[in-house]
Amino acid sequence: MSYSTKTMTNPLKGKKFADLIVHEDEDFIVINKPPFVSTLEDRNDSQNILNLARQYHEEAKVCHRLDKETSGLLVIAKHLDAYKYFSKLLEQRDVHKLYHAIIAGCHEIDEEELDFPIYTSSTRSRVDPRQGKPSVTLIKTIHIYKAHTLLACMPFTGRMHQIRVHLSHIGLPIAGDEFYGGDPIYLSQIKKGYKSGKFVEEKPLIPRMALHAQKLIFEAPGGKKLQLEAPYPKDFTATLNQFAKNL
């Protein structure tokens, strides 16, 4: 059972869709998606961003996807022409996305291009030189803590699970991403002398994979350049705060 299933029953409790919006104009709504909410319909969960967006704006169409556990910026078109416009930007690689990820260990990466072809099945992706499609991700260290590193990741292509697969392929899986080999983060790993209760199982600091879509840049219809940023959700912020306190 995943940590998200154990710990997050209602990630939108007390929030309305309007509370998630970081930008809105006549063409697009851009939200800061909370973790543990599916982008599209999910047979295991009636709550998803598409349904919420259509309650807010009837013709809403989600322009791209974020994994259920991933938080951060998500673009929603308010009409069909805006959807087609954004799809063309994606096709031409004119949408610039920046993600922040936490990985285990201390890694000083000045700037590294991960150029590994990715093959995708229905539920999983993998690096595959023969069957894979061209896939490029640029990574760079933001900050090194006692036992973990905060990375900036910029995907130049849009393969399913691209950042997760590329980081896993080079032996640096995202913390908490057990699907691709990442281990959970525990306070006992970073705080000297920390012990959980005698009969209490220690819970991870962040109960999901530590990935956040932090920044998005694209040109809106009419030529206006949008540069949007999304603050971290509470679990991501709390984890980094613990790292900073226990250097």
Side-chain angles (χ1 to χ4, degrees):
M1 182 181 291
S2 69
Y3 292 105
S4 58
T5 303
K6 292 180 185 177
T7 59
M8 296 298 294
T9 55
N10 187 3
L12 288 170
K13 186 177 180 180
K15 287 186 178 181
K16 298 178 181 178
F17 181 80
D19 298 330
L20 308 179
I21 296 174
V22 297
H23 172 82
E24 182 176 3
D25 55 35
E26 64 272 19
D27 299 305
F28 298 106
I29 305 163
V30 184
I31 67 166
N32 185 1
K33 186 185 90 64
F36 308 107
V37 183
S38 295
T39 301
L40 303 177
E41 293 180 357
D42 183 345
R43 64 183 179 182
N44 298 316
D45 192 348
S46 60
Q47 193 174 64
N48 62 75
I49 294 300
L50 179 59
N51 283 346
L52 293 170
R54 286 181 173 169
Q55 291 171 27
Y56 180 82
H57 186 85
E58 190 175 355
E59 297 180 25
K61 296 179 182 295
V62 175
C63 293
H64 58 110
R65 295 181 65 172
L66 291 178
D67 293 330
K68 187 172 184 177
E69 291 188 7
T70 303
S71 56
L73 293 169
L74 184 67
V75 179
I76 300 163
K78 297 176 83 171
H79 52 83
L80 182 58
D81 285 344
Y83 178 82
K84 290 180 178 178
Y85 173 86
F86 196 85
S87 296
K88 188 174 182 180
L89 290 182
L90 289 173
E91 186 180 332
Q92 296 173 341
R93 300 181 184 177
D94 286 332
V95 180
H96 304 288
K97 303 175 185 177
L98 180 67
Y99 292 73
H100 287 183
I102 299 172
I103 61 172
C106 300
H107 306 278
E108 184 63 70
I109 301 170
D110 183 35
E111 195 169 277
E112 183 175 344
E113 184 179 281
L114 308 182
D115 186 359
F116 306 112
I118 290 177
Y119 171 78
T120 300
S121 63
S122 58
T123 59
R124 194 178 186 94
S125 295
R126 69 174 188 268
V127 169
D128 190 322
R130 290 190 298 176
Q131 298 185 76
K133 294 182 179 179
S135 309
V136 178
T137 306
L138 191 68
I139 63 172
K140 183 177 182 179
T141 294
I142 299 172
H143 196 89
I144 297 175
Y145 297 94
K146 183 179 181 179
H148 295 84
T149 300
L150 180 64
L151 282 185
C153 308
M154 182 178 288
F156 289 101
T157 46
R159 311 301 173 207
M160 186 177 86
H161 300 169
Q162 178 173 314
I163 295 172
R164 300 167 64 186
V165 171
H166 273 170
L167 289 178
S168 179
H169 183 70
I170 63 170
L172 302 176
I174 298 170
D177 187 7
E178 296 175 276
F179 196 64
Y180 289 109
D183 293 325
I185 304 169
Y186 293 103
L187 187 57
S188 58
Q189 296 171 330
I190 58 175
K191 187 173 183 180
K192 189 175 181 180
Y194 174 82
K195 293 181 180 179
S196 57
K198 189 174 182 181
F199 300 105
V200 178
E201 182 182 358
E202 185 182 2
K203 294 181 180 180
L205 278 175
I206 182 167
R208 63 178 176 103
M209 64 174 170
L211 183 64
H212 177 73
Q214 192 268 337
K215 192 170 185 178
L216 194 64
I217 302 173
F218 67 96
E219 188 175 290
K224 183 180 179 181
K225 189 174 184 180
L226 296 179
Q227 299 189 54
L228 306 172
E229 296 187 19
Y232 297 141
K234 289 181 179 179
D235 60 357
F236 207 101
T237 298
T239 300
L240 294 182
N241 285 343
Q242 285 293 344
F243 288 170
K245 285 165 61 177
N246 293 282
L247 289 174

